[in-house]
């Protein structure tokens, strides 16, 4: 199993910057694959912010392209979201996500299962 802990949220003025962190803890037979960030504004559906694979392939949603940067420390199973030039529309709860591969072995032989895990979220508020 995997546990994700986000940090770095807070209140900033429009045009400012914020850096979010997400650290994953795992079992010995579990490896972390793609990690990412999602956000949910009040009264709106949760949406993709950015994802990053173990090899560094990155995908950004259109509203944050050119402003946000996702990165990761693979050795520590940690991902970061650098938020620059923030806007009031960036306000919301930011959730960390990780795709984990759980490896098992039984009478049928080795096998694995891929499963998504979510953090509890960190609040980001951008004032006008």
């Amino acid at each position: 199993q995997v546990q994700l802990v986000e940090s770095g949220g807070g209140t900033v003025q429009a045009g400012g910057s914020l850096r979010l962190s997400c650290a994953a803890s795992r079992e010995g037979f579990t490896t972390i694959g793609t990690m990412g960030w999602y956000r949910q504004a009040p009264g709106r559906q949760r949406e993709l912010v950015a994802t990053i694979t173990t090899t560094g392939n990155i995908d950004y949603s259109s509203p944050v392209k050119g402003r946000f940067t996702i990165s990761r420390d693979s050795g520590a199973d940690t991902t970061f979201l650098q938020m620059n030039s923030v806007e009031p529309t960036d306000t919301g709860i930011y959730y960390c996500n990780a795709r984990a591969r759980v490896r098992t072995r039984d009478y049928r032989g080795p096998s694995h299962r891929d499963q998504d895990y979510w953090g509890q979220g960190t609040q980001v508020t951008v004032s006008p």
Side-chain angles (χ1 to χ4, degrees):
Q1 61 182 23
V2 174
Q3 291 185 350
L4 303 175
V5 179
E6 303 102 333
S7 63
T11 301
V12 296
Q13 287 186 303
S17 297
L18 207 62
R19 182 176 174 85
L20 307 183
S21 300
C22 172
S25 61
R26 59 177 180 85
E27 296 178 330
F29 296 100
T30 301
T31 56
I32 305 298
T34 299
M35 302 185 74
W37 292 92
Y38 297 74
R39 68 186 183 186
Q40 185 169 18
R44 301 218 287 272
Q45 191 175 8
R46 184 173 60 187
E47 65 179 7
L48 167 73
V49 177
T51 60
I52 182 169
T53 69
T54 57
T55 57
N57 187 41
I58 295 173
D59 185 24
Y60 294 104
S61 66
S62 296
V64 308
K65 286 182 179 178
R67 300 188 297 119
F68 293 4
T69 302
I70 189 172
S71 61
R72 71 185 296 166
D73 181 344
S74 59
D77 290 328
T78 302
T79 186
F80 307 92
L81 184 69
Q82 180 66 46
M83 306 168 59
N84 296 329
S85 302
V86 296
E87 302 287 345
T89 52
D90 294 322
T91 294
I93 303 175
Y94 283 67
Y95 297 93
C96 180
N97 170 269
R99 170 75 65 162
R101 174 159 292 185
V102 182
R103 292 175 171 82
T104 60
R105 185 178 182 88
D106 56 21
Y107 66 94
R108 299 171 297 172
S111 64
H112 69 269
R113 181 184 76 256
D114 291 341
Q115 185 171 328
D116 280 315
Y117 293 87
W118 294 90
Q120 292 184 322
T122 184
Q123 177 70 44
V124 172
T125 302
V126 182
S127 60

